[in-house]
Amino acid sequence: MANSPLDSQHTSVSASITLAVLHAASRMGLVRSQLMSECGLSDNQLSDPDARVPFSTQERLWQALSRMPHGEPGLALGSNLAPGPFSVLGYLLQSSPTLGDALAAGLRYQRLVGEGGEVQLREQGDELQLLYRPLHPDLPATRTRVLALMACWVQMFQPLLNEWQLLRAQFVHAQPADLQAYQAVFACPLQFAATDYGLVLPRYLADAPLIQANPPLQNLLRQHAEALLARLPSAGLSARVVALLGEQLARGEPDRAELARHLHLSERTLQRRLADEGCNYQQLLNDTRRQLAEYHLNSGKLPAAEIALLLGYSEPSVFFRAFRQWTGLTPGEYRSRQQPD
């Protein structure tokens, strides 16, 4: 199995959510020990629910789960995920006074669950948009992971509100042939080929009280969450740049000025701070492209010309020259060497 590209020593997820995913898979008839062996997980890594698991390890778990014989394995898994095993953050959300308070806590403490993407909350007109931008958006396992997360959001919040309503659910991938699983989970209009994954609710629901609101308990949980957050290592700037490059490449040639603005930095400050970490923008871009190129070539599915477009190259010939500089091989030669006879 090919390892996921763009792995970073700074990127991790909680052991509690990894346990929750394994429990959900077990309820669906999969063998837990086999899954753990396939993705390199040990019982020691999961003994403390507040411990951290490398994101690359959990991503291998999602790769295994994406091969389940279901039309949309992510929706099936997400419907079996229980919010309780998410440790402190799950209970913190459920004890919040209102949905708006719960979503604000989710934004503040999202790193406690994992660093596999970024949750954003937008208010636009009469809409409240809960969006998710995953790390490594082009990997096949990402679709399974994000659909499981979205289904879990619905499973978590729907019982806590008397007036739960979704205006729409939106997905980055193209519309599948069978929508039955989507309609069963979300029960709302569906939008595919969207810019972001997300759930869209009426804006007034931000003030809706939650049935299990418990302010004293929430205060205790918030203190514990702050302590856990303080223990997490700060993500290095280079890791954040790599994550943003992965997003930009899917849309074409990356724009350094746009990336700097997203990080609230000037281009000069961006260059200086990357230099402090022993790297530079062009190096990170080249490394990101090379890792993505090798991943797609190892998967054996996409033609080299399509891989060039995914990497933001305007012409396949530019990609071919760059790949030869990286490896001394053409993309075709590299692919033939990686695949068995």
Side-chain angles (χ1 to χ4, degrees):
M1 180 188 303
N3 289 334
S4 306
L6 312 182
D7 294 335
S8 165
Q9 61 179 331
H10 301 287
T11 310
S12 63
V13 298
S14 72
S16 58
I17 193 172
T18 307
L19 275 169
V21 172
L22 287 169
H23 289 326
S26 296
R27 282 193 289 271
M28 296 176 64
L30 299 184
V31 180
R32 170 173 165 158
S33 59
Q34 183 177 337
L35 286 172
M36 292 178 64
S37 175
E38 187 169 349
C39 64
L41 269 172
S42 68
D43 289 323
N44 288 338
Q45 289 175 283
L46 304 177
S47 59
D48 178 3
D50 291 330
R52 307 294 290 184
V53 173
F55 176 66
S56 57
T57 301
Q58 201 199 58
E59 203 163 37
R60 288 194 292 271
L61 174 60
W62 284 112
Q63 288 174 2
L65 294 173
S66 66
R67 297 192 292 270
M68 291 172 56
H70 289 266
E72 285 293 359
L75 295 180
L77 284 160
S79 299
N80 281 278
L81 276 174
F86 289 3
S87 191
V88 61
L89 183 57
Y91 295 120
L92 178 59
L93 299 183
Q94 294 175 76
S95 61
S96 298
T98 67
L99 178 62
D101 292 322
L103 295 177
L107 292 180
R108 166 68 179 164
Y109 303 111
Q110 59 181 289
R111 287 188 67 206
L112 295 184
V113 174
E115 298 169 311
E118 181 184 8
V119 179
Q120 296 183 351
L121 190 63
R122 293 181 187 169
E123 293 184 358
Q124 191 167 36
D126 294 329
E127 294 182 350
L128 186 65
Q129 301 176 357
L130 182 61
L131 307 177
Y132 186 71
R133 293 186 171 179
L135 200 62
H136 312 164
D138 296 324
L139 295 189
T142 297
R143 171 168 167 171
T144 302
R145 177 170 65 88
V146 178
L147 287 179
L149 175 65
M150 294 175 66
C152 185
W153 283 349
V154 174
Q155 296 290 317
M156 179 186 297
F157 286 119
Q158 187 172 11
L160 301 179
L161 287 166
N162 286 322
E163 300 180 13
W164 170 260
Q165 180 186 2
L166 276 179
L167 298 179
R168 70 178 178 277
Q170 56 189 53
F171 313 92
V172 171
H173 53 267
Q175 179 172 322
D178 186 358
L179 297 179
Q180 184 175 353
Y182 289 84
Q183 292 164 344
V185 171
F186 301 105
C188 69
L190 307 171
Q191 177 187 355
F192 294 91
T195 303
D196 295 298
Y197 290 98
L199 301 178
V200 181
L201 303 94
R203 186 172 178 177
Y204 70 83
L205 280 184
D207 298 321
L210 299 188
I211 294 172
Q212 296 182 19
N214 189 332
L217 176 60
Q218 191 203 33
N219 288 335
L220 290 174
L221 292 169
R222 191 181 294 274
Q223 293 174 25
H224 184 44
E226 287 290 345
L228 292 175
L229 194 62
R231 283 166 43 186
L232 291 181
S234 298
L237 179 63
S238 58
R240 296 165 65 193
V241 168
V242 165
L244 291 172
L245 285 173
E247 273 187 37
Q248 287 193 352
L249 283 169
R251 303 193 297 269
E253 177 71 22
D255 186 331
R256 182 167 56 186
E258 178 186 344
L259 188 146
R261 283 194 298 272
H262 188 95
L263 295 168
H264 306 291
L265 300 172
S266 68
E267 288 189 65
R268 180 174 296 179
T269 301
L270 173 65
Q271 291 175 321
R272 187 186 72 248
R273 289 184 54 184
L274 287 175
D276 291 340
E277 293 187 17
C279 58
N280 60 62
Y281 173 85
Q282 192 60 45
Q283 173 192 340
L284 292 176
L285 175 58
N286 289 339
D287 289 347
T288 300
R289 278 175 158 160
R290 175 175 179 170
Q291 291 176 36
L292 278 171
E294 291 177 352
Y295 173 80
H296 287 303
L297 289 169
N298 283 330
S299 72
K301 296 178 181 178
L302 293 176
E306 289 188 29
I307 296 174
L309 293 177
L310 286 175
L311 301 183
Y313 290 104
S314 58
E315 295 290 340
S317 60
V318 181
F319 164 55
F320 294 166
R321 285 197 299 270
F323 195 84
R324 185 185 285 275
Q325 289 177 351
W326 296 331
T327 64
L329 303 170
T330 66
E333 290 169 342
Y334 178 89
R335 173 172 275 166
S336 64
R337 291 192 182 189
Q338 299 303 310
Q339 295 177 350
D341 294 335

